[in-house]
Amino acid sequence: VNVASRLENLTRDLNARLVISDDVRREVLKEGGHACLTGLHEHKAQSLRGVEGTVDVWVFERPKQLI
């Protein structure tokens, strides 16, 4: 299962610019990339097709459009 592809598909469902797994977030933090994570917000765990259980995700949301 290509988890990256599944997370990319979630960007549309969650109206987000970027969706990453908590595993990726932890690896970025280990490497000292705290600044790279600015603006990401924890989102409820998501079910991904082909993945057993749920995946904890972090989301960089799209700005709300003004009408």
Side-chain angles (χ1 to χ4, degrees):
V1 173
N2 187 341
V3 174
S5 176
R6 302 290 192 250
L7 291 173
E8 181 183 12
N9 289 337
L10 274 180
T11 62
R12 289 183 284 277
D13 297 340
L14 301 177
N15 193 32
R17 289 185 177 179
L18 176 69
V19 177
I20 64 170
S21 68
D22 193 53
D23 291 340
V24 169
R25 180 186 156 275
R26 281 195 304 263
E27 289 300 317
V28 170
L29 289 173
K30 277 187 205 174
E31 297 297 323
H34 295 82
C36 296
L37 301 173
T38 301
L40 285 171
H41 303 282
E42 190 171 14
H43 198 276
K44 67 180 179 178
Q46 298 291 306
S47 296
L48 301 179
R49 187 170 49 102
V51 176
E52 191 173 318
T54 58
V55 176
D56 293 327
V57 298
W58 290 74
V59 175
F60 184 68
E61 296 175 349
R62 292 187 187 280
K64 306 269 190 273
Q65 293 186 359
L66 299 175
I67 298 175

